[in-house]
Amino acid sequence: MDTDSPSAMYSIKAVSQATGLSIETLRAWERRYQIVQPTRDDNGRRAYRPQDVIRLRKLREATERGHPISRLARLGEGDIERLLGQSAAGRGGLSPLQNVAAQILEAAEDYRAAACDRLLATTLALLPLPQVVQEIISPLMREVGERWHRGELSIGQERLVSMSLRKQLSSVLDTYGRIASGPVVVFATPSGERHELGILMGALLAAARNARCHYLGPDLPVEDLATYAIRARAQVVVLSVLMQEEAVSQLASLAQHLPETTEIWAGGAALERAGCAALPPRLRLLADLAEFDREIAALAAR
């Protein structure tokens, strides 16, 4: 997403949702401290720039750490960054992207679902999708899984993060889908495979490359998947198989049902464990999201 585009403007309601500040607070800060100066449309409604949203987000974080807004209002961006950087040093010197993931984990530990939603919505609105997927969401999900296995997160906390991710990513995918004009790509997991966040992240990367993404979700019989892909005239069908080794045999059936012109791409730990010899010859096994992103970029450029 090009946040420098003149068309990238946000309503006060969207800014409230993205920053966690109430509409009343936004108006009061503008009136008392001139913290940001939104423009007005022909009907007099406020329109905020992406940099306004970023500044307001930083100011909210600073006030939550005990700094009064009356003092913060007089500070420049560098001073605010230094204040927040002092807190980041307390987190072990995390990078800004790592800090986002750390805040999401903290919100999950406190069962603050709305905070998880807000952090993800802001990040998705202000950073390029490939960067969010590969540098924030993918490492975040690995960390959530590891903490759950160590007993440091409950099932409820893990589900809170997963549900928030599913909701926010699906919303962004729907938005991109309305304007996509590139290759048709179908995404799903086969029967028995219920882990869907990996395939959803792949769909987002494809959407960022202008692909027309058909996201069918998890646990789909391959015969139904093939029928859908044929009717949608898909150029590529993408699958993720993390846990279900039994699903490997379904890929051979999928290859038989799909026309030769439809490519099959897949990834996941279960396929890596099975090895290339057990997979249909026409299936392209992708090692990770970075490789998938390169392949989808090449597809979009054909």
Side-chain angles (χ1 to χ4, degrees), residues 265-302:
W265 301 358
L271 301 185
E272 294 173 4
R273 290 191 295 268
C276 294
L279 302 175
R282 62 185 286 197
L283 184 143
R284 183 177 303 178
L285 183 60
L286 304 177
D288 51 30
L289 287 171
E291 183 178 1
F292 173 79
D293 191 40
R294 290 192 295 271
E295 293 294 333
I296 204 71
L299 176 70
R302 290 181 193 171

mmCIF file of all heavy atoms in Angstrom, residues 265-302:
data_model
loop_
_atom_site.group_PDB
_atom_site.id
_atom_site.type_symbol
_atom_site.label_atom_id
_atom_site.label_comp_id
_atom_site.label_asym_id
_atom_site.label_seq_id
_atom_site.Cartn_x
_atom_site.Cartn_y
_atom_site.Cartn_z
ATOM 1 N N TRP A 265 0.693 -25.328 -6.772
ATOM 2 C CA TRP A 265 1.763 -24.938 -5.869
ATOM 3 C C TRP A 265 1.359 -25.351 -4.465
ATOM 4 O O TRP A 265 0.176 -25.305 -4.103
ATOM 5 C CB TRP A 265 1.997 -23.432 -5.878
ATOM 6 C CG TRP A 265 2.349 -22.849 -7.211
ATOM 7 C CD1 TRP A 265 2.525 -23.489 -8.402
ATOM 8 C CD2 TRP A 265 2.563 -21.454 -7.471
ATOM 9 N NE1 TRP A 265 2.840 -22.605 -9.387
ATOM 10 C CE2 TRP A 265 2.871 -21.345 -8.845
ATOM 11 C CE3 TRP A 265 2.537 -20.307 -6.688
ATOM 12 C CZ2 TRP A 265 3.132 -20.118 -9.449
ATOM 13 C CZ3 TRP A 265 2.796 -19.079 -7.284
ATOM 14 C CH2 TRP A 265 3.103 -18.992 -8.646
ATOM 15 N N ALA A 266 2.339 -25.747 -3.650
ATOM 16 C CA ALA A 266 2.009 -26.151 -2.281
ATOM 17 C C ALA A 266 3.220 -25.982 -1.389
ATOM 18 O O ALA A 266 4.365 -25.939 -1.840
ATOM 19 C CB ALA A 266 1.518 -27.598 -2.248
ATOM 20 N N GLY A 267 2.943 -25.883 -0.105
ATOM 21 C CA GLY A 267 3.995 -25.783 0.889
ATOM 22 C C GLY A 267 3.483 -26.257 2.225
ATOM 23 O O GLY A 267 2.293 -26.527 2.402
ATOM 24 N N GLY A 268 4.403 -26.382 3.168
ATOM 25 C CA GLY A 268 4.021 -26.808 4.505
ATOM 26 C C GLY A 268 4.886 -27.941 5.002
ATOM 27 O O GLY A 268 5.470 -28.709 4.237
ATOM 28 N N ALA A 269 4.955 -28.057 6.338
ATOM 29 C CA ALA A 269 5.851 -29.024 6.961
ATOM 30 C C ALA A 269 5.511 -30.459 6.594
ATOM 31 O O ALA A 269 6.408 -31.294 6.435
ATOM 32 C CB ALA A 269 5.801 -28.841 8.481
ATOM 33 N N ALA A 270 4.217 -30.776 6.440
ATOM 34 C CA ALA A 270 3.836 -32.150 6.120
ATOM 35 C C ALA A 270 4.365 -32.571 4.758
ATOM 36 O O ALA A 270 4.778 -33.724 4.566
ATOM 37 C CB ALA A 270 2.316 -32.296 6.166
ATOM 38 N N LEU A 271 4.364 -31.649 3.806
ATOM 39 C CA LEU A 271 4.873 -31.968 2.470
ATOM 40 C C LEU A 271 6.387 -32.105 2.484
ATOM 41 O O LEU A 271 6.944 -32.961 1.779
ATOM 42 C CB LEU A 271 4.450 -30.887 1.480
ATOM 43 C CG LEU A 271 2.940 -30.662 1.331
ATOM 44 C CD1 LEU A 271 2.663 -29.656 0.227
ATOM 45 C CD2 LEU A 271 2.214 -31.970 1.054
ATOM 46 N N GLU A 272 7.043 -31.288 3.278
ATOM 47 C CA GLU A 272 8.497 -31.405 3.381
ATOM 48 C C GLU A 272 8.894 -32.740 4.000
ATOM 49 O O GLU A 272 9.863 -33.376 3.580
ATOM 50 C CB GLU A 272 9.053 -30.241 4.211
ATOM 51 C CG GLU A 272 8.883 -28.882 3.533
ATOM 52 C CD GLU A 272 9.283 -27.734 4.435
ATOM 53 O OE1 GLU A 272 9.767 -28.013 5.557
ATOM 54 O OE2 GLU A 272 9.105 -26.570 4.036
ATOM 55 N N ARG A 273 8.116 -33.182 4.998
ATOM 56 C CA ARG A 273 8.407 -34.480 5.607
ATOM 57 C C ARG A 273 8.157 -35.623 4.631
ATOM 58 O O ARG A 273 8.862 -36.637 4.640
ATOM 59 C CB ARG A 273 7.550 -34.672 6.869
ATOM 60 C CG ARG A 273 7.951 -33.771 8.030
ATOM 61 C CD ARG A 273 7.267 -34.197 9.312
ATOM 62 N NE ARG A 273 5.817 -34.034 9.246
ATOM 63 C CZ ARG A 273 5.169 -32.943 9.640
ATOM 64 N NH1 ARG A 273 5.858 -31.893 10.092
ATOM 65 N NH2 ARG A 273 3.855 -32.876 9.579
ATOM 66 N N ALA A 274 7.135 -35.473 3.782
ATOM 67 C CA ALA A 274 6.814 -36.528 2.825
ATOM 68 C C ALA A 274 7.895 -36.679 1.772
ATOM 69 O O ALA A 274 8.178 -37.790 1.299
ATOM 70 C CB ALA A 274 5.467 -36.240 2.172
ATOM 71 N N GLY A 275 8.509 -35.577 1.377
ATOM 72 C CA GLY A 275 9.554 -35.626 0.358
ATOM 73 C C GLY A 275 8.987 -35.531 -1.043
ATOM 74 O O GLY A 275 7.826 -35.885 -1.306
ATOM 75 N N CYS A 276 9.801 -35.041 -1.967
ATOM 76 C CA CYS A 276 9.348 -34.805 -3.339
ATOM 77 C C CYS A 276 8.888 -36.081 -4.030
ATOM 78 O O CYS A 276 7.995 -36.053 -4.881
ATOM 79 C CB CYS A 276 10.468 -34.149 -4.151
ATOM 80 S SG CYS A 276 10.883 -32.483 -3.575
ATOM 81 N N ALA A 277 9.484 -37.231 -3.683
ATOM 82 C CA ALA A 277 9.150 -38.482 -4.372
ATOM 83 C C ALA A 277 7.698 -38.879 -4.148
ATOM 84 O O ALA A 277 7.109 -39.575 -4.987
ATOM 85 C CB ALA A 277 10.082 -39.593 -3.897
ATOM 86 N N ALA A 278 7.106 -38.445 -3.022
ATOM 87 C CA ALA A 278 5.726 -38.814 -2.716
ATOM 88 C C ALA A 278 4.709 -37.866 -3.325
ATOM 89 O O ALA A 278 3.500 -38.119 -3.238
ATOM 90 C CB ALA A 278 5.534 -38.861 -1.199
ATOM 91 N N LEU A 279 5.177 -36.809 -3.958
ATOM 92 C CA LEU A 279 4.282 -35.773 -4.466
ATOM 93 C C LEU A 279 4.105 -35.906 -5.978
ATOM 94 O O LEU A 279 4.980 -36.428 -6.669
ATOM 95 C CB LEU A 279 4.844 -34.392 -4.123
ATOM 96 C CG LEU A 279 5.080 -34.129 -2.625
ATOM 97 C CD1 LEU A 279 5.750 -32.785 -2.422
ATOM 98 C CD2 LEU A 279 3.768 -34.202 -1.854
ATOM 99 N N PRO A 280 2.970 -35.416 -6.498
ATOM 100 C CA PRO A 280 2.763 -35.456 -7.953
ATOM 101 C C PRO A 280 3.875 -34.684 -8.671
ATOM 102 O O PRO A 280 4.299 -33.616 -8.202
ATOM 103 C CB PRO A 280 1.414 -34.758 -8.128
ATOM 104 C CG PRO A 280 0.729 -34.869 -6.811
ATOM 105 C CD PRO A 280 1.817 -34.838 -5.785
ATOM 106 N N PRO A 281 4.361 -35.192 -9.795
ATOM 107 C CA PRO A 281 5.474 -34.533 -10.495
ATOM 108 C C PRO A 281 5.175 -33.094 -10.889
ATOM 109 O O PRO A 281 6.084 -32.265 -10.938
ATOM 110 C CB PRO A 281 5.677 -35.424 -11.725
ATOM 111 C CG PRO A 281 5.112 -36.747 -11.339
ATOM 112 C CD PRO A 281 3.972 -36.464 -10.427
ATOM 113 N N ARG A 282 3.903 -32.795 -11.177
ATOM 114 C CA ARG A 282 3.582 -31.444 -11.632
ATOM 115 C C ARG A 282 3.446 -30.444 -10.486
ATOM 116 O O ARG A 282 3.292 -29.245 -10.722
ATOM 117 C CB ARG A 282 2.287 -31.458 -12.451
ATOM 118 C CG ARG A 282 1.079 -31.923 -11.647
ATOM 119 C CD ARG A 282 -0.159 -32.048 -12.512
ATOM 120 N NE ARG A 282 -0.704 -30.748 -12.860
ATOM 121 C CZ ARG A 282 -1.939 -30.570 -13.312
ATOM 122 N NH1 ARG A 282 -2.739 -31.625 -13.502
ATOM 123 N NH2 ARG A 282 -2.383 -29.376 -13.610
ATOM 124 N N LEU A 283 3.498 -30.910 -9.237
ATOM 125 C CA LEU A 283 3.349 -30.010 -8.102
ATOM 126 C C LEU A 283 4.651 -29.259 -7.851
ATOM 127 O O LEU A 283 5.726 -29.854 -7.821
ATOM 128 C CB LEU A 283 2.948 -30.798 -6.856
ATOM 129 C CG LEU A 283 2.671 -29.963 -5.597
ATOM 130 C CD1 LEU A 283 1.522 -30.564 -4.805
ATOM 131 C CD2 LEU A 283 3.909 -29.882 -4.700
ATOM 132 N N ARG A 284 4.545 -27.952 -7.649
ATOM 133 C CA ARG A 284 5.709 -27.126 -7.327
ATOM 134 C C ARG A 284 5.737 -26.925 -5.816
ATOM 135 O O ARG A 284 4.858 -26.284 -5.246
ATOM 136 C CB ARG A 284 5.629 -25.783 -8.038
ATOM 137 C CG ARG A 284 6.856 -24.907 -7.809
ATOM 138 C CD ARG A 284 6.778 -23.614 -8.581
ATOM 139 N NE ARG A 284 6.616 -23.845 -10.003
ATOM 140 C CZ ARG A 284 6.474 -22.876 -10.913
ATOM 141 N NH1 ARG A 284 6.464 -21.608 -10.522
ATOM 142 N NH2 ARG A 284 6.324 -23.174 -12.185
ATOM 143 N N LEU A 285 6.744 -27.508 -5.162
ATOM 144 C CA LEU A 285 6.869 -27.418 -3.713
ATOM 145 C C LEU A 285 7.657 -26.161 -3.355
ATOM 146 O O LEU A 285 8.800 -25.979 -3.791
ATOM 147 C CB LEU A 285 7.576 -28.655 -3.168
ATOM 148 C CG LEU A 285 7.719 -28.746 -1.640
ATOM 149 C CD1 LEU A 285 6.347 -28.745 -0.967
ATOM 150 C CD2 LEU A 285 8.506 -29.994 -1.257
ATOM 151 N N LEU A 286 7.042 -25.287 -2.560
ATOM 152 C CA LEU A 286 7.651 -24.017 -2.178
ATOM 153 C C LEU A 286 8.112 -24.078 -0.728
ATOM 154 O O LEU A 286 7.379 -24.540 0.155
ATOM 155 C CB LEU A 286 6.647 -22.876 -2.372
ATOM 156 C CG LEU A 286 6.063 -22.754 -3.792
ATOM 157 C CD1 LEU A 286 5.037 -21.637 -3.847
ATOM 158 C CD2 LEU A 286 7.171 -22.511 -4.809
ATOM 159 N N ALA A 287 9.309 -23.595 -0.495
ATOM 160 C CA ALA A 287 9.937 -23.750 0.817
ATOM 161 C C ALA A 287 9.334 -22.837 1.879
ATOM 162 O O ALA A 287 9.191 -23.224 3.037
ATOM 163 C CB ALA A 287 11.436 -23.502 0.711
ATOM 164 N N ASP A 288 8.983 -21.605 1.500
ATOM 165 C CA ASP A 288 8.505 -20.649 2.494
ATOM 166 C C ASP A 288 7.756 -19.518 1.799
ATOM 167 O O ASP A 288 7.614 -19.500 0.570
ATOM 168 C CB ASP A 288 9.661 -20.095 3.322
ATOM 169 C CG ASP A 288 10.812 -19.558 2.467
ATOM 170 O OD1 ASP A 288 10.544 -19.077 1.340
ATOM 171 O OD2 ASP A 288 11.971 -19.616 2.914
ATOM 172 N N LEU A 289 7.299 -18.556 2.586
ATOM 173 C CA LEU A 289 6.534 -17.439 2.037
ATOM 174 C C LEU A 289 7.386 -16.553 1.141
ATOM 175 O O LEU A 289 6.874 -15.976 0.172
ATOM 176 C CB LEU A 289 5.935 -16.607 3.171
ATOM 177 C CG LEU A 289 4.752 -17.228 3.919
ATOM 178 C CD1 LEU A 289 4.412 -16.404 5.147
ATOM 179 C CD2 LEU A 289 3.537 -17.348 2.999
ATOM 180 N N ALA A 290 8.668 -16.438 1.446
ATOM 181 C CA ALA A 290 9.542 -15.619 0.603
ATOM 182 C C ALA A 290 9.635 -16.205 -0.805
ATOM 183 O O ALA A 290 9.572 -15.472 -1.805
ATOM 184 C CB ALA A 290 10.931 -15.515 1.226
ATOM 185 N N GLU A 291 9.765 -17.524 -0.907
ATOM 186 C CA GLU A 291 9.804 -18.155 -2.232
ATOM 187 C C GLU A 291 8.462 -18.021 -2.933
ATOM 188 O O GLU A 291 8.398 -17.771 -4.139
ATOM 189 C CB GLU A 291 10.183 -19.625 -2.114
ATOM 190 C CG GLU A 291 10.320 -20.310 -3.470
ATOM 191 C CD GLU A 291 10.750 -21.753 -3.376
ATOM 192 O OE1 GLU A 291 10.932 -22.258 -2.243
ATOM 193 O OE2 GLU A 291 10.908 -22.392 -4.440
ATOM 194 N N PHE A 292 7.385 -18.190 -2.172
ATOM 195 C CA PHE A 292 6.058 -18.012 -2.767
ATOM 196 C C PHE A 292 5.901 -16.599 -3.324
ATOM 197 O O PHE A 292 5.370 -16.413 -4.425
ATOM 198 C CB PHE A 292 4.968 -18.278 -1.733
ATOM 199 C CG PHE A 292 3.587 -17.942 -2.223
ATOM 200 C CD1 PHE A 292 2.897 -18.809 -3.061
ATOM 201 C CD2 PHE A 292 2.991 -16.736 -1.893
ATOM 202 C CE1 PHE A 292 1.637 -18.486 -3.529
ATOM 203 C CE2 PHE A 292 1.735 -16.406 -2.361
ATOM 204 C CZ PHE A 292 1.053 -17.287 -3.180
ATOM 205 N N ASP A 293 6.360 -15.603 -2.585
ATOM 206 C CA ASP A 293 6.238 -14.218 -3.042
ATOM 207 C C ASP A 293 7.006 -14.008 -4.345
ATOM 208 O O ASP A 293 6.521 -13.306 -5.246
ATOM 209 C CB ASP A 293 6.742 -13.263 -1.952
ATOM 210 C CG ASP A 293 6.395 -11.816 -2.243
ATOM 211 O OD1 ASP A 293 5.282 -11.547 -2.727
ATOM 212 O OD2 ASP A 293 7.246 -10.946 -2.002
ATOM 213 N N ARG A 294 8.173 -14.613 -4.469
ATOM 214 C CA ARG A 294 8.935 -14.490 -5.714
ATOM 215 C C ARG A 294 8.194 -15.151 -6.866
ATOM 216 O O ARG A 294 8.143 -14.611 -7.995
ATOM 217 C CB ARG A 294 10.322 -15.123 -5.535
ATOM 218 C CG ARG A 294 11.244 -14.347 -4.602
ATOM 219 C CD ARG A 294 12.670 -14.852 -4.713
ATOM 220 N NE ARG A 294 12.805 -16.232 -4.254
ATOM 221 C CZ ARG A 294 13.067 -16.573 -2.983
ATOM 222 N NH1 ARG A 294 13.200 -15.646 -2.060
ATOM 223 N NH2 ARG A 294 13.219 -17.842 -2.655
ATOM 224 N N GLU A 295 7.606 -16.311 -6.610
ATOM 225 C CA GLU A 295 6.883 -17.026 -7.671
ATOM 226 C C GLU A 295 5.627 -16.277 -8.093
ATOM 227 O O GLU A 295 5.295 -16.208 -9.285
ATOM 228 C CB GLU A 295 6.522 -18.444 -7.193
ATOM 229 C CG GLU A 295 7.700 -19.361 -6.991
ATOM 230 C CD GLU A 295 8.414 -19.667 -8.300
ATOM 231 O OE1 GLU A 295 7.772 -19.617 -9.362
ATOM 232 O OE2 GLU A 295 9.623 -19.962 -8.257
ATOM 233 N N ILE A 296 4.910 -15.705 -7.139
ATOM 234 C CA ILE A 296 3.680 -14.997 -7.489
ATOM 235 C C ILE A 296 4.012 -13.707 -8.234
ATOM 236 O O ILE A 296 3.265 -13.273 -9.126
ATOM 237 C CB ILE A 296 2.808 -14.731 -6.234
ATOM 238 C CG1 ILE A 296 1.336 -14.565 -6.631
ATOM 239 C CG2 ILE A 296 3.273 -13.523 -5.461
ATOM 240 C CD1 ILE A 296 0.652 -15.802 -7.078
ATOM 241 N N ALA A 297 5.142 -13.088 -7.893
ATOM 242 C CA ALA A 297 5.581 -11.893 -8.629
ATOM 243 C C ALA A 297 5.905 -12.253 -10.068
ATOM 244 O O ALA A 297 5.567 -11.514 -11.005
ATOM 245 C CB ALA A 297 6.783 -11.265 -7.945
ATOM 246 N N ALA A 298 6.565 -13.397 -10.259
ATOM 247 C CA ALA A 298 6.889 -13.835 -11.624
ATOM 248 C C ALA A 298 5.631 -14.172 -12.398
ATOM 249 O O ALA A 298 5.515 -13.871 -13.592
ATOM 250 C CB ALA A 298 7.813 -15.060 -11.558
ATOM 251 N N LEU A 299 4.658 -14.782 -11.723
ATOM 252 C CA LEU A 299 3.377 -15.094 -12.385
ATOM 253 C C LEU A 299 2.674 -13.813 -12.819
ATOM 254 O O LEU A 299 2.164 -13.741 -13.948
ATOM 255 C CB LEU A 299 2.480 -15.888 -11.421
ATOM 256 C CG LEU A 299 1.074 -16.205 -11.936
ATOM 257 C CD1 LEU A 299 1.128 -17.224 -13.063
ATOM 258 C CD2 LEU A 299 0.194 -16.725 -10.779
ATOM 259 N N ALA A 300 2.660 -12.829 -11.963
ATOM 260 C CA ALA A 300 1.984 -11.574 -12.290
ATOM 261 C C ALA A 300 2.661 -10.848 -13.434
ATOM 262 O O ALA A 300 2.015 -10.056 -14.153
ATOM 263 C CB ALA A 300 1.928 -10.676 -11.053
ATOM 264 N N ALA A 301 3.961 -11.112 -13.620
ATOM 265 C CA ALA A 301 4.712 -10.425 -14.678
ATOM 266 C C ALA A 301 4.639 -11.132 -16.039
ATOM 267 O O ALA A 301 5.140 -10.612 -17.020
ATOM 268 C CB ALA A 301 6.180 -10.304 -14.249
ATOM 269 N N ARG A 302 4.037 -12.298 -16.078
ATOM 270 C CA ARG A 302 3.987 -13.044 -17.360
ATOM 271 C C ARG A 302 3.136 -12.305 -18.391
ATOM 272 O O ARG A 302 2.169 -11.655 -18.065
ATOM 273 C CB ARG A 302 3.368 -14.428 -17.123
ATOM 274 C CG ARG A 302 4.265 -15.380 -16.333
ATOM 275 C CD ARG A 302 3.571 -16.721 -16.191
ATOM 276 N NE ARG A 302 4.231 -17.569 -15.198
ATOM 277 C CZ ARG A 302 3.748 -18.715 -14.761
ATOM 278 N NH1 ARG A 302 2.605 -19.165 -15.235
ATOM 279 N NH2 ARG A 302 4.410 -19.416 -13.857
#
